[in-house]
Amino acid sequence: MAWYSVYEVGHGVCERFDDVPLAEVGTRVPRVFIAGNVGHTHSAKAGQGMNVSMQDGFNLGGKLAHVLLRCSSESLLATYSAERKAIGEDIIRFDQWWAAVMAKSPQEFDHPSDFEDAYLQITEFAQVFMAQYAPSMIVAEPEFQILATGFPIGKRFKSAVAPRVVDANVIHIGHESKANDRWCLFVFADSAQAGEASPTAALAEWLAHSPKSPVHTTTPPTADENGWFNIKVIHQQAQTDVALSRVPATYMPRVGRFGLINYDGVFAAAPGSDIFEQRSIDRGGAIFLVRPGQYVANILPLTATAELAEVARRFTLTQW
């Protein structure tokens, strides 16, 4: 062997991801931000640095857009460092554990499947499904987590399939949360049929007409009806049993230059792959507030309109 070298893994995470000293947190708005490997260094295994760095940028970019568009207050920017520094610390701890696993000989594992199990965990971490944000102005306390134990508050929205009523196309619900500046409001309906008097119908009426509705107060007058909150409703019935003609107009907003009705936001349960069962969603229904970065911000009962208005007030600015 003519030449060899030793790769030494360096682990480190910076004190802050913005320019606000610890003593001044909460007293002024950050103006300078860092992201990616300049904030956290670790091994190059499994592409975790690249994936976590892109998530840094996505987290910061969305918040900057909301503030610059005057849809959110500048206080939103303080959540970037708080959220991403914690993730940086998590990846250091996880990388140290993974390095120790990789250094073991096969004889040191208690069971042959231990290495495979460890690899599955590192894959889930690299895909950011293990990341969980702590409660803040945009992540609620898990008061109503029992309504959907399959969607932990603060974690990525773990998708499942459901048929779209208008065309019977079975798609992943999570794909409806696009990488843009809109929040998603997923309404998992109660057991009533579409159009019947029910909490789902009452919620639609409140969202459309109440002066306290975040959809009413935060959507700019020149935007589409779903310009700020992308609302989707998922019924418990089969696709053939949901009558679009009876679905409240709130769930089928008018969009575009000609104000055409958008039917794409109405879904049903998939036979043999019921999202309510797969994600342990209460049959009484629930409201899911999902951030632009696809993280679950809150879960509420269908009747918790006052709570929904208060949650939205924390991160939005009135547009009227």
Side-chain angles (χ1 to χ4, degrees):
M1 182 180 294
W3 178 88
Y4 75 93
S5 67
V6 176
Y7 172 70
E8 293 187 8
V9 177
H11 292 107
V13 61
C14 63
E15 184 178 277
R16 298 282 300 167
F17 279 35
D18 60 31
D19 65 328
V20 181
L22 288 174
E24 298 180 31
V25 172
T27 65
R28 71 175 180 88
V29 176
R31 299 294 180 184
V32 180
F33 306 89
I34 61 173
N37 288 344
V38 70
H40 42 79
T41 58
H42 38 78
S43 75
K45 293 186 292 294
Q48 42 192 342
M50 177 185 69
N51 283 283
V52 173
S53 296
M54 287 192 293
Q55 286 293 315
D56 288 346
F58 196 86
N59 186 295
L60 176 59
K63 291 170 181 176
L64 284 172
H66 285 166
V67 172
L68 293 172
L69 291 171
R70 292 179 171 81
C71 295
S72 297
S73 68
E74 292 181 339
S75 60
L76 178 66
L77 298 176
T79 64
Y80 168 69
S81 181
E83 290 186 341
R84 299 310 298 175
K85 180 177 184 294
I87 299 302
E89 293 170 343
D90 286 345
I91 195 173
I92 298 303
R93 287 191 293 268
F94 202 82
D95 190 58
Q96 290 172 337
W97 168 80
W98 177 245
V101 170
M102 291 292 290
K104 285 185 177 181
S105 65
Q107 293 76 21
E108 293 180 275
F109 288 100
D110 296 329
H111 191 274
S113 66
D114 287 351
F115 181 79
E116 180 182 354
D117 294 340
Y119 191 83
L120 290 175
Q121 289 187 54
I122 191 66
T123 301
E124 186 177 13
F125 190 91
Q127 294 172 349
V128 303
F129 279 105
M130 291 184 71
Q132 184 168 18
Y133 294 140
S136 67
M137 66 182 293
I138 50 175
V139 177
E141 295 284 352
E143 180 179 359
F144 296 105
Q145 183 67 77
I146 191 65
L147 294 177
T149 56
F151 288 105
I153 295 174
K155 279 195 168 188
R156 283 284 296 273
F157 184 89
K158 194 171 184 179
S159 185
V161 297
R164 192 164 50 200
V165 174
V166 68
D167 57 6
N169 190 18
V170 179
I171 64 175
H172 266 277
I173 290 292
H175 294 176
E176 295 301 294
S177 181
K178 304 296 184 182
N180 53 27
D181 60 353
R182 293 191 299 173
W183 287 66
C184 262
L185 201 62
F186 290 102
V187 178
F188 286 89
D190 57 280
S191 58
Q193 291 283 348
E196 292 181 353
S198 65
T200 303
L203 174 63
E205 178 71 16
W206 181 85
L207 286 170
H209 302 293
S210 171
K212 296 182 179 180
S213 164
V215 176
H216 181 73
T217 60
T218 62
T219 303
T222 57
D224 288 337
E225 293 177 4
N226 63 349
W228 179 247
F229 284 100
N230 188 15
I231 305 176
K232 308 292 179 182
V233 62
I234 302 93
H235 290 277
Q236 297 185 29
Q237 291 77 21
Q239 182 264 342
T240 53
D241 295 328
V242 179
L244 282 175
S245 60
R246 303 195 64 196
V247 173
T250 305
Y251 303 129
M252 299 184 297
R254 291 187 176 274
V255 299
R257 177 181 177 183
F258 300 105
L260 302 179
I261 298 175
N262 185 349
Y263 296 98
D264 289 352
V266 183
F267 293 85
S273 185
D274 189 335
I275 189 173
F276 284 83
E277 293 181 3
Q278 288 187 337
R279 298 293 179 264
S280 301
I281 302 171
D282 191 280
R283 291 293 178 175
I287 305 169
F288 284 48
L289 186 60
V290 180
R291 292 164 42 165
Q294 301 179 343
Y295 283 82
V296 180
N298 204 352
I299 296 174
L300 292 166
L302 293 175
T303 56
T305 53
E307 291 87 343
L308 178 59
E310 172 59 23
V311 169
R313 185 193 62 78
R314 298 174 193 165
F315 62 84
T316 58
L317 294 177
T318 300
Q319 300 296 310
W320 296 88

